[in-house]
Amino acid sequence: MDEWVAAVVPAGGYGTRMESETPKQFLQLGGVPLLIHALRVLESSRTISEIVLVVPRDAVTYCQKELLPQFAFSKISAVTAGGARRQDSVWNGLQTVDERTKIVVVHDAVRPFVTGAMVEEVVGGGKTHGAAIVAIPLHDTVKQVAPDGMIETTLDRQRLWSAQTPQAFDVELLREAHRSSQKAGVEATDDAFLVERIGRRVSIVNGSPDNIKITRPEDLVMGEAILRLRTSETGLASL
């Protein structure tokens, strides 16, 4: 690894839309907690130097003492407490990464089907352009709708992409973007928007429809189906 690349994995939410008393990142997928799937991919990536996991404050000790020791992770350098919002959790993670960090990769813990190829490509984009995200083009017709429920216009879907994670940034650029948003009181659902609003361009790396975010109960059902299919394909490939 020619540059230190830190992965910040926000898993600080409680997942109220999942309708479960257990935070969604700790729900079982294929017999292991959801966040373990993403951590395993980051752990095995040759481009990732360290991983900072950000979880709810009351789950820090559980992760450190009970959950993570069950798995062979060597790159997790810290488990830190998240904030009230996703961007607060990412900011907390940014304060924890190694001082050698040049590129930071932000990946949602509840996107279990990230691949090593995505990580490598988005890191490459981050190194080249300063900012890059994984995304997929939209195929549905998209309508812009007024508050009264009436269609205002139909958007050109050929120029619309659905953002995913991982997202990779020059670490100082991402810190600058977060500080600017804090000062302006801006909220965002992904880090790329914070970088965009300070005038920096962000490049796109092709993602996958399988790279879903587990948010609702039906997403977990879909995740189990994707996992079964992948397991089946792996088995067939080894025959």
Side-chain angles (χ1 to χ4, degrees):
M1 291 177 285
D2 55 348
E3 289 183 320
W4 194 269
V5 179
V8 172
V9 181
Y14 287 92
T16 54
R17 286 177 289 179
M18 187 57 75
E19 301 172 5
S20 170
E21 293 183 3
T22 302
K24 60 185 177 182
Q25 59 270 36
F26 300 123
L27 293 174
Q28 296 282 307
L29 176 66
V32 298
L34 184 56
L35 81 172
I36 296 299
H37 294 272
L39 291 175
R40 281 172 166 168
V41 174
L42 294 169
E43 171 78 24
S44 64
S45 172
R46 61 185 180 182
T47 64
I48 299 298
S49 309
E50 70 165 334
I51 302 167
V52 173
L53 178 62
V54 189
V55 298
R57 185 171 300 277
D58 58 8
V60 171
T61 301
Y62 163 69
C63 287
Q64 292 173 327
K65 304 294 185 182
E66 298 181 44
L67 177 60
L68 297 178
Q70 299 177 48
F71 304 93
F73 293 119
S74 62
K75 292 184 180 179
I76 297 180
S77 59
V79 180
T80 191
R85 304 167 300 174
R86 180 187 183 278
Q87 68 200 71
D88 299 324
S89 293
V90 173
W91 176 253
N92 289 355
L94 285 173
Q95 309 317 301
T96 311
V97 299
D98 191 282
E99 62 182 12
R100 292 171 288 178
T101 300
K102 300 297 183 183
I103 298 292
V104 62
V105 174
V106 181
H107 181 65
D108 296 321
V110 291
R111 286 191 188 270
F113 300 113
V114 59
T115 66
M118 288 180 201
V119 175
E120 288 193 25
E121 290 181 29
V122 82
V123 168
K127 289 179 178 180
T128 301
H129 304 287
I133 73 168
V134 170
I136 56 173
L138 291 182
H139 297 293
D140 294 328
T141 299
V142 181
K143 307 291 185 180
Q144 181 173 305
V145 180
D148 63 0
M150 302 300 287
I151 293 173
E152 292 181 330
T153 187
T154 299
L155 303 177
D156 180 5
R157 69 182 181 188
Q158 294 191 19
R159 300 184 63 186
L160 297 176
W161 291 61
S162 179
Q164 301 179 340
T165 66
Q167 303 185 352
F169 309 92
D170 174 274
V171 66
E172 293 306 326
L173 171 61
L174 187 57
R175 284 174 174 151
E176 177 189 353
H178 272 264
R179 284 192 291 264
S180 176
S181 71
Q182 291 165 4
K183 185 176 181 180
V186 171
E187 291 196 31
T189 55
D190 80 340
D191 295 277
F193 173 73
L194 301 181
V195 171
E196 294 163 39
R197 70 171 293 278
I198 63 171
R200 291 294 297 267
R201 302 186 73 189
V202 181
S203 66
I204 290 289
V205 168
N206 280 304
S208 166
D210 286 354
N211 188 25
I212 62 173
K213 186 175 183 181
I214 306 295
T215 303
R216 297 177 175 84
E218 56 266 31
D219 299 328
L220 199 57
V221 174
M222 185 180 299
E224 291 286 1
I226 294 172
L227 191 60
R228 284 195 300 272
L229 180 60
R230 286 189 170 191
T231 302
S232 172
E233 290 176 343
T234 301
L236 289 173
S238 65
L239 294 177

